[in-house]
Amino acid sequence: MTGVLRPGHAQLRVLNIDEAARFYRDVMGLVETGRDAQGRVYLKCWDEHDHNSLILREADHAGIDFIGFKVLNEATLDQLERDVRAFGLETERLPAGELLETGERVRFRLPTGHLFEIYAQKAQVGNGLPNVNPPPWAPDADRGMAPTRLDHCLLYGPNVTANKKLFVDVLGFHLVERILGPAEAGEPEIGLFLSCSHKTHDIAFVEYPEPGKLHHLSFRMPTWERVLRAGDIMGMNKVPIDIGPTRHGVTRGETIYAWDPSGNRFETFAGGYEPYPDSRTITWTFDGFPHGLDFPQGKLHESFLTVVT
Ligand SMILES: O=C/C=C/C=C(\O)C(=O)O
Ligand SMILES: [Fe+2]
């Protein structure tokens, strides 16, 4: 284990900050925890303890600015920076406080073009429950869709195989599932689901010609029933849905893909299974992929491969 713990934050570009803040706070049911001098809005899911996991920045085009993972401690941060540089990537350090309540970050650009960063420190604000004899949920757990946490992201860009080498050989992730391209193309790995935990994936990549693209940020729901309830709330708020409610074959996750007001896709996701680092990687062939995306329908929804921000 290299000490990379979990997805920590994502900074998302939105077209209208007030509309986006209202959506993620009042429809998604995230908790707004702050705003900074740049006008960025900070939010967390009700059951997360750290100050923020989603940061919104107003821009003229939607998409993801960077994704941050939390690591065990400062010594791990320093070691991983050395390892990433030895892998051949430039790193830069962003000062503590550049993001509210967040320590120094080590940032580097992935072979797929995405800005990725690691950090060891973020202020804990808690989940609204006492740490001694706590009840199972807090009032915020029923406000809006109320995901429990930022669960993973799926990023699109070229050179996913180079990303795999970095994440597996340097950052200590394991490859839980993969999607192969067409046989006539030699079945290249075009989809990678990578985990640094017990989850089916903490980050995923799909091969795509343009670098640095976002397919979706995924928010964890405790149960399939809560995914369906999220779908009800999407219906009540006329949120445009892309795929679902259904189940992925890949990861077995129950899912709805939909779009935020800026056109960024998000997912409400439940279920899956618990792979271990020594679990064998599951492979989806290209002809099996329609069931990998939407198991009940076995349908390769066009938008999955074409719509990104
Ligand atoms: O075939 C595509 C599967 C996508 C899976 C997810 O977005 C997920 O498991 O969260
Ligand atoms: Fe997902």
Side-chain angles (χ1 to χ4, degrees):
M1 301 302 282
T2 58
V4 178
L5 301 179
R6 56 177 164 77
H9 56 241
Q11 180 164 302
L12 193 62
R13 291 190 302 272
V14 293
L15 303 180
N16 176 310
I17 193 74
D18 294 325
E19 179 189 53
R22 206 170 26 255
F23 174 77
Y24 282 100
R25 189 185 53 235
D26 303 340
V27 179
M28 283 290 279
L30 301 189
V31 179
E32 181 173 330
T33 51
R35 298 194 180 213
D36 67 15
Q38 292 179 40
R40 291 181 295 187
V41 178
Y42 294 69
L43 302 116
K44 67 181 280 288
C45 298
W46 81 264
D47 206 12
E48 291 173 321
H49 290 259
D50 286 2
H51 177 270
N52 57 73
S53 60
L54 179 65
I55 301 107
L56 306 177
R57 177 176 75 87
E58 188 166 87
D60 58 8
H61 65 294
I64 190 156
D65 277 338
F66 51 81
I67 184 89
F69 270 62
K70 194 167 189 188
V71 302
L72 193 59
N73 53 39
E74 303 293 344
T76 302
L77 186 65
D78 296 344
Q79 181 57 54
L80 285 170
E81 180 173 34
R82 287 191 291 273
D83 296 346
V84 166
R85 294 177 75 83
F87 179 79
L89 297 181
E90 288 298 306
T91 62
E92 64 168 325
R93 290 222 173 200
L94 291 105
E98 195 280 335
L99 267 188
L100 284 188
E101 305 292 345
T102 306
E104 194 175 36
R105 291 119 74 201
V106 172
R107 178 183 285 179
F108 43 99
R109 192 176 292 277
L110 301 180
T112 49
H114 300 91
L115 284 179
F116 187 88
E117 55 189 41
I118 50 179
Y119 65 93
Q121 196 276 327
K122 195 182 290 272
Q124 290 218 347
V125 297
N127 63 357
L129 296 177
N131 257 354
V132 178
N133 308 334
W137 44 272
D140 266 341
D142 259 348
R143 193 173 50 78
M145 299 182 213
T148 54
R149 69 166 185 247
L150 173 66
D151 190 78
H152 65 268
C153 62
L154 173 53
L155 303 177
Y156 275 35
N159 311 311
V160 296
T161 304
N163 271 27
K164 180 177 118 177
K165 267 194 75 54
L166 172 69
F167 277 81
V168 172
D169 299 347
V170 178
L171 299 177
F173 285 61
H174 51 282
L175 181 64
V176 176
E177 301 205 23
R178 63 183 188 150
I179 302 167
L180 301 183
E184 55 272 21
E187 291 199 308
E189 285 182 340
I190 60 168
L192 302 169
F193 292 73
L194 294 153
S195 176
C196 60
S197 66
H198 233 347
K199 290 158 53 190
T200 53
H201 55 323
D202 290 292
I203 194 164
F205 298 100
V206 164
E207 189 75 18
Y208 187 77
E210 269 187 273
K213 297 308 210 182
L214 170 69
H215 184 273
H216 67 270
L217 286 182
S218 186
F219 295 90
R220 182 90 191 167
M221 311 304 292
T223 64
W224 172 223
E225 186 277 332
R226 296 293 285 195
V227 171
L228 289 173
R229 178 178 171 280
D232 296 341
I233 292 171
M234 291 179 208
M236 293 168 193
N237 292 277
K238 307 285 183 286
V239 175
I241 288 185
D242 175 22
I243 301 177
T246 188
R247 184 208 288 276
H248 294 304
V250 180
T251 80
R252 304 183 199 161
E254 296 117 10
T255 181
I256 298 175
Y257 283 152
W259 283 288
D260 78 2
S262 303
N264 294 304
R265 187 192 279 99
F266 68 91
E267 179 180 38
T268 52
F269 173 85
Y273 56 92
E274 292 77 35
Y276 282 91
D278 63 343
S279 301
R280 289 190 313 163
T281 300
I282 290 172
T283 293
W284 290 85
T285 58
F286 198 68
D287 57 358
F289 177 49
H291 279 92
L293 176 57
D294 179 343
F295 193 77
Q297 294 192 71
K299 183 177 171 193
L300 179 51
H301 303 258
E302 175 66 23
S303 57
F304 182 80
L305 294 173
T306 59
V307 180
V308 295
T309 50

